[in-house]
Amino acid sequence: MSASIGGLLIRPPLMNSSSPWASSHEDLSNLYECPFTGAVTTRTATLSGFQEDAAIHQVAFHSESATSINSYGYSPHPLSSYIRWVGDILGRNADSRKPFIISITTNASSELREMLGIIQALRRSLSDGTSSTRVGVEINTSCPNITGQPPMSYEPTRLRPLLDVITEFVAQDEFFVVGIKLPPYVHSNQFVDVIDVLSSISPSRAESATRSSRHPIAFLTCTNTLGSCLLFNSQTLDPKANSSDFALPTIWGGMGGESIHPLSLGNVRAFTQLLQSHSEEAMRDIVVIGVGGVTSPAAVARMQEAGASVVACATILGRKGVGVFEELVKGVKGS
Ligand SMILES: Cc1cc2nc3c(=O)[nH]c(=O)nc-3n(C[C@H](O)[C@H](O)[C@H](O)COP(=O)(O)O)c2cc1C
């Protein structure tokens, strides 16, 4: 009942995925202290904090299924807050091996270099540099809600400059665990395009600068929400009085929960098959974190059956709170 991603030990292989319910120091402490989470993922941070506006950035739940729609961007708290909070929680739990996955985002390689440098400084301060590590990084390349900034991973070749920065860091520290958060894809060529860009930074490639024999990317998190969805106010759990017809002020938003479960399962299965059958050994080591419509123990089991090494959820955490992990863990294989 555990999974290893590089030096991260995730036991049980169940956790939250990045969301506003993993935003504050208190949220993160509660998730960390829950005995049924094997790791904790933070809300996505930018270097300086995202300007959140409660009139625009909202979430609504469907009245008839465990489905959400949201218009959030990223965390209003800058990366430095997560560094402080993660450092504090791990410092207070020095005997625990439960890791944090710090979710970050940027489109610029220079900024990514700065952010990864800050996270590496935290790891050094925690003496987190050996075969066992308690801090990993997830680079969110797939938020569908940022006006004028389509998710980079819908055009995988745009990821290459960021992947080159990750390669530099992993070349200097092979225990640095870095993954990328991907959107739901809807066509088989899209999976192949992602695999091709990952293969282009594989250590077996002559042009690759890495000294390490491992792939710079340790995991793929599949999937983020499905963008451009629409729910009507009348379909929501808590319809707003005197509101527009729509569940969100932005009208369109990212859908999560039960409604995207089959698509997320399909993405998890497609990526695990392509990775595991890849001709390059380093590609076969990349694992998949399965996210999307995990709202019941049966859904956890389906994610594992589809190939996920670790299973995570957001919508059902928002609906039911941290206590939901005690129920979900019953679906973990071998529990
Ligand atoms: C309200 C809300 C906010 C989210 N914010 C983030 C985020 O900041 N970063 C991120 O990588 N994913 C974010 N997600 C996506 C989730 O991590 C997850 O990938 C997606 O919702 C599918 O999982 P689910 O079906 O369990 O909700 C968010 C999801 C929701 C519902």
Side-chain angles (χ1 to χ4, degrees), residues 156-203:
T157 51
R158 286 183 60 212
L159 295 173
R160 183 60 201 256
L162 300 186
L163 293 174
D164 287 340
V165 174
I166 299 165
T167 304
E168 279 169 32
F169 274 81
V170 175
Q172 284 160 21
D173 175 1
E174 63 178 309
F175 299 112
F176 196 26
V177 178
V178 183
I180 50 177
K181 176 93 174 259
L182 296 175
Y185 295 108
V186 296
H187 186 278
S188 58
N189 280 23
Q190 293 178 303
F191 302 115
V192 173
D193 289 346
V194 173
I195 293 293
D196 284 350
V197 79
L198 289 174
S199 167
S200 75
I201 56 154
S202 205

Side-chain angles (χ1 to χ4, degrees), residues 17-21 43-44 59 68 70 72-75 103 138 140 181 223-225 255-258 260 291-294 312-316:
S17 68
S18 185
S19 79
W21 306 293
R43 188 176 185 187
T44 301
V59 62
S68 65
N70 87 85
Y72 282 108
Y74 304 117
S75 179
S103 171
E138 181 173 274
N140 181 2
K181 176 93 174 259
T223 66
N224 210 317
T225 52
M255 178 159 287
E258 252 166 27
I260 65 160
V291 194
V294 173
C313 63
T315 295
I316 202 68

Side-chain angles (χ1 to χ4, degrees), residues 37 46 112 145 149 180 183 199-200 207 229 260 291:
T37 58
T46 53
L112 180 63
N145 296 335
Q149 287 182 31
I180 50 177
S199 167
S200 75
E207 72 266 29
C229 290
I260 65 160
V291 194

Side-chain angles (χ1 to χ4, degrees), residues 80-102:
S80 56
S81 298
Y82 290 100
I83 296 292
R84 214 169 49 247
W85 298 337
V86 168
D88 171 62
I89 296 168
L90 290 180
R92 281 194 280 113
N93 292 276
D95 296 337
S96 171
R97 276 205 63 187
K98 187 187 283 195
F100 268 99
I101 295 177
I102 301 180

